[in-house]
Amino acid sequence: MEKREALYSGKAKSVYRTDDPDRFVLLFRDDTSAFDGEKKEQLARKGMVNNRFNAFIMEKLEAAGIPTHFEKVLSPVESLVKKLDMFPVECVVRNYAAGSLCRRLGVEEGQALQPPTFELFLKNDELHDPMINESLAETFGWAGADDLAQMKALTYKVNEVLKKLFDDAGMLLVDYKLEFGRFNGQIVLGDEFSPDGCRIWDKETRKKMDKDRFRQGLGEVIEAYEEVGRRLGIQFD
Ligand code: ADP
Ligand code: UDP
């Protein structure tokens, strides 16, 4: 496999073409951003930590029967993935109230949510990723009804697998965001699963161990990501 030119550089990762038209290389950078790119910093080791973290989680999900784009780790900060035709939507599941849900509905942070909620957002930085629903997605062609039903079912299946994984390691999976795409007609999980795109709290103390440490200026951001990884049994360099 040969890495070719960069196709796209996002807020945290860069996407490269390869000599295989169906495969991309994802490069996890140390760049960290929040509030639609208003707050930006380089956090040493983040690219490596998230690349390893994502590989570990994607392998767990594959083993549980969830199709993912992940193929293999290529270097400390790079992974080979299937090239997906991405849906411009973000699927968010919440087990506890936090973040935009609290701001939007005035509910208290930490409230357990039963059943866990499912929300859809449009991936559009200029519009600040507005909340949408199935009807809007279908009407505007962002995803079809069948696609959405499958994404929702897969997003909840991920919850069953990961809630237990984190719980067994002394942590609460508070919420997370997933992105899906199409590969040979199949709906496949893409992008990444790392502490950048989910909320994880210590089960006993409810200490925040995710990107909220960066958003809220709590410090020791990557130390917390590595602690989450170590508890799950991930080896970092
Ligand atoms: P953003 O675009 O939100 O700033 P990133 O910096 O994470 O995000 O950039 C990665 C980009 O690559 C995202 O737009 C994501 O949707 C896209 N992507 C992730 N996985 C794949 C894949 N397997 N195939 C094609 N595109 C992907
Ligand atoms: N999230 C993400 N990317 C986004 C928006 C949200 O990874 O563009 C994640 C976020 O880290 C959290 C979950 O999705 O784990 C729910 O985010 P929320 O809607 O509460 O928004 P936020 O508080 O991050 O603005």
Side-chain angles (χ1 to χ4, degrees):
M1 197 283 306
E2 202 180 288
K3 188 171 150 195
R4 297 260 166 94
E5 78 278 10
L7 268 185
Y8 174 76
S9 193
K11 294 186 288 294
K13 299 192 290 300
S14 301
V15 182
Y16 293 82
R17 225 194 281 277
T18 69
D19 56 353
D20 180 342
D22 291 329
R23 299 288 180 277
F24 278 164
V25 169
L26 285 189
L27 184 145
F28 290 73
R29 307 195 313 270
D30 288 344
D31 298 304
T32 314
S33 72
F35 313 121
D36 293 318
E38 253 174 59
K39 178 171 174 165
K40 273 194 223 159
E41 253 175 67
Q42 290 256 320
L43 297 176
R45 293 173 65 76
K46 196 196 73 153
M48 180 276 291
V49 169
N50 279 1
N51 185 40
R52 298 260 184 246
F53 199 108
N54 176 64
F56 176 87
I57 297 286
M58 291 279 172
E59 279 172 354
K60 291 281 181 204
L61 296 177
E62 280 282 353
I66 295 155
T68 83
H69 68 160
F70 179 76
E71 298 261 298
K72 62 177 176 180
V73 165
L74 296 173
S75 80
V77 293
E78 292 167 306
S79 286
L80 186 67
V81 299
K82 293 183 184 76
K83 174 190 169 183
L84 305 185
D85 187 9
M86 300 299 289
F87 295 100
V89 300
E90 301 186 335
C91 300
V92 171
V93 161
R94 302 177 195 267
N95 296 304
Y96 294 88
S100 74
L101 183 79
C102 297
R103 296 195 294 276
R104 197 176 340 117
L105 300 182
V107 296
E108 202 182 322
E109 185 180 81
Q111 181 185 327
L113 303 171
Q114 196 50 251
T117 60
F118 177 81
E119 292 160 40
L120 280 175
F121 296 87
L122 179 66
K123 238 181 108 66
N124 184 320
D125 285 340
E126 275 141 56
L127 298 178
H128 311 291
D129 293 353
M131 192 178 189
I132 57 168
N133 61 27
E134 273 99 334
S135 166
L136 290 167
E138 212 184 324
T139 295
F140 288 105
W142 297 317
D146 287 353
D147 304 325
L148 291 161
Q150 282 188 58
M151 285 190 253
K152 186 173 179 175
L154 287 170
T155 303
Y156 274 128
K157 193 165 175 191
V158 166
N159 203 35
E160 289 318 304
V161 178
L162 296 188
K163 236 178 15 182
K164 180 170 185 336
L165 189 83
F166 284 100
D167 188 75
D168 288 347
M171 294 172 283
L172 298 175
L173 178 59
V174 172
D175 59 28
Y176 57 91
K177 180 268 300 179
L178 301 180
E179 292 180 28
F180 293 88
R182 217 188 259 110
F183 186 76
N184 292 336
Q186 193 189 18
I187 306 278
V188 172
L189 176 63
D191 205 49
E192 71 178 279
F193 191 102
S194 77
D196 266 4
C198 67
R199 288 190 169 93
I200 300 156
W201 296 344
D202 178 86
K203 205 154 81 175
E204 301 305 322
T205 65
R206 298 215 165 186
K207 178 185 155 185
K208 295 182 162 109
M209 305 178 79
D210 52 68
K211 194 161 135 184
D212 269 350
R213 299 200 69 79
F214 174 72
R215 293 189 188 97
Q216 299 174 8
L218 301 174
E220 302 192 324
V221 181
I222 301 310
E223 289 82 349
Y225 286 24
E226 290 192 70
E227 168 68 16
V228 175
R230 268 195 301 275
R231 288 193 196 182
L232 295 173
I234 303 171
Q235 303 267 343
F236 297 112
D237 300 326

